[in-house]
Amino acid sequence: MKKLLMIALLVLSGCSSKPQEKQTLKIGVMPAVDSAPIFLAQELGIFEELGLDIEIEVYTSAMDRQSALQAGELDGAMTDVIALVNNVGNGFDIKVTTSTDGAFPILYHEGALEKDAVTVGMMEVSVSNYLADAFLKDYTINKEYIVEIPARLEMVGNGTLDMAVIPEPMASMGALNGLSKELMANPDEFSPEVMVFNTKSIDSKEKEIKLFHDGYNKAVEMINESQTQAREVLVNKLELNPVIVNNFELPHYNVARIPSEDYFNKIIKWNEDVLGASFDLEYAQLVDDRFVK
């Protein structure tokens, strides 16, 4: 009798267990070359082959992307270390899972380089502010805080701004319209751009986030062998003029990696010195390295 009861319980247990449902990973990206490995992995079916169901939303405004992330509409998003430090310092529970690799030219109109003081468009708590300070040390900088990238492009074009820090390939769209573009060398070992995920998603969708990084790495390896598909997918996904397909700068892409503690300390100091903020943050509060091991 006991044996029959045990068999019945095992049968019932087997019937009641359901296969784990695949969860959709939702991420937000910016119109920047950092997005190329993500777009390519989606376009070529790499994510699908790995078993990852992914939704990718493009934002031209970092504030809109941030609002979506904070509202829980996104699991993760492309952002930068300046915004990250401020967000975590203000209690938003997100962590870097990998650096990304970008290209940020200075876009300017004729005569701007000859000035001693320049009006530069940027977002205040962002990579554009940090890089303006890094790139334009020989100028007195008057900072104009403009959230939307298209608005910055338009204002440089009509002369309201002398310059703006604009990510590629959007900078090349401005150059197509008669503006000048100069790519400055990154002064740091790491790009200031990163992918972050909120800790709730890291805990509940660890498998999906791991697959995301696996797909990202596969696409990176492909791009570093040949840039052709990456250029085409960026133009198509961002709905840009195809004439710029070979005009914009692409970086050397790195497989998933975490910025160093020294790099974060440098960013925290810049935040405190320039933005007047004060942060008491530990490195472990900013990163989660389980996806790059």
Side-chain angles (χ1 to χ4, degrees), residues 75-103:
D75 297 301
M78 183 183 296
T79 183
D80 61 69
V81 287
I82 293 86
L84 168 82
V85 166
N86 280 269
N87 289 330
V88 176
N90 287 308
F92 186 27
D93 202 2
I94 54 176
K95 290 193 175 183
V96 173
T97 59
T98 181
S99 287
T100 60
D101 296 290

Side-chain angles (χ1 to χ4, degrees), residues 2-289:
K2 285 184 178 180
K3 186 175 181 181
L4 289 173
L5 180 60
M6 288 179 64
I7 293 172
L9 288 172
L10 286 170
V11 170
L12 288 172
S13 175
C15 292
S16 62
S17 64
K18 296 180 181 178
Q20 185 178 6
E21 292 184 7
K22 183 167 63 173
Q23 300 188 82
T24 299
L25 195 65
K26 299 178 181 179
I27 66 169
V29 301
M30 299 300 288
V33 293
D34 306 61
S35 306
I38 300 170
F39 287 146
L40 191 63
Q42 181 188 46
E43 185 74 9
L44 298 182
I46 294 172
F47 288 139
E48 186 177 1
E49 288 173 5
L50 290 170
L52 176 62
D53 184 12
I54 189 167
E55 292 181 13
I56 302 170
E57 187 75 25
V58 180
Y59 293 86
T60 60
S61 165
M63 287 188 67
D64 290 344
R65 174 212 61 204
Q66 191 66 20
S67 296
L69 187 60
Q70 288 183 308
E73 297 168 11
L74 300 171
D75 297 301
M78 183 183 296
T79 183
D80 61 69
V81 287
I82 293 86
L84 168 82
V85 166
N86 280 269
N87 289 330
V88 176
N90 287 308
F92 186 27
D93 202 2
I94 54 176
K95 290 193 175 183
V96 173
T97 59
T98 181
S99 287
T100 60
D101 296 290
F104 290 86
I106 295 288
L107 205 63
Y108 58 95
H109 61 73
E110 187 177 356
L113 295 183
E114 285 69 50
K115 294 184 174 183
D116 294 324
V118 289
T119 302
V120 184
M122 64 191 71
M123 186 175 172
E124 183 175 14
V125 185
S126 83
V127 59
S128 55
N129 192 348
Y130 174 75
L131 290 179
D133 282 349
F135 291 162
L136 301 171
K137 294 181 180 297
D138 295 333
Y139 296 88
T140 299
I141 305 173
N142 301 314
K143 297 181 177 181
E144 291 285 342
Y145 299 128
I146 301 144
V147 173
E148 291 275 357
I149 293 173
R152 273 180 253 159
L153 282 170
E154 182 179 352
M155 292 174 73
V156 179
N158 65 27
T160 306
L161 299 172
D162 295 311
M163 304 177 180
V165 180
I166 303 288
E168 286 282 32
M170 301 303 291
S172 288
M173 288 295 294
L176 191 64
N177 294 323
L179 296 173
S180 297
K181 179 185 72 170
E182 185 170 347
L183 182 67
M184 308 291 190
N186 181 9
D188 302 310
E189 178 186 358
F190 296 93
S191 167
E193 295 285 280
V194 290
M195 277 297 302
V196 301
F197 286 87
N198 64 62
T199 54
K200 180 180 178 182
S201 293
I202 290 175
D203 292 337
S204 64
K205 297 185 178 182
E206 181 176 355
K207 177 183 176 182
E208 286 77 9
I209 296 174
K210 180 185 182 302
L211 292 175
F212 167 79
H213 289 79
D214 290 345
Y216 179 91
N217 288 343
K218 286 179 181 291
V220 162
E221 291 171 358
M222 294 179 65
I223 295 171
N224 287 335
E225 289 180 4
S226 172
Q227 296 183 349
T228 302
Q229 287 180 304
R231 290 181 175 279
E232 292 172 352
V233 77
L234 279 168
V235 168
N236 292 334
K237 293 286 188 181
L238 301 179
E239 300 179 350
L240 304 177
N241 190 326
V243 75
I244 72 163
V245 70
N246 292 314
N247 294 355
F248 53 85
E249 307 285 348
L250 283 183
H252 170 79
Y253 291 97
N254 294 278
V255 294
R257 60 178 186 156
I258 295 293
S260 68
E261 185 171 359
D262 286 344
Y263 181 63
F264 272 115
N265 288 338
K266 178 180 179 178
I267 298 300
I268 290 171
K269 186 177 187 307
W270 181 90
N271 270 276
E272 292 176 339
D273 292 345
V274 176
L275 301 181
S278 180
F279 301 106
D280 183 18
L281 296 173
E282 298 292 332
Y283 183 60
Q285 294 174 263
L286 300 170
V287 304
D288 190 319
D289 66 357

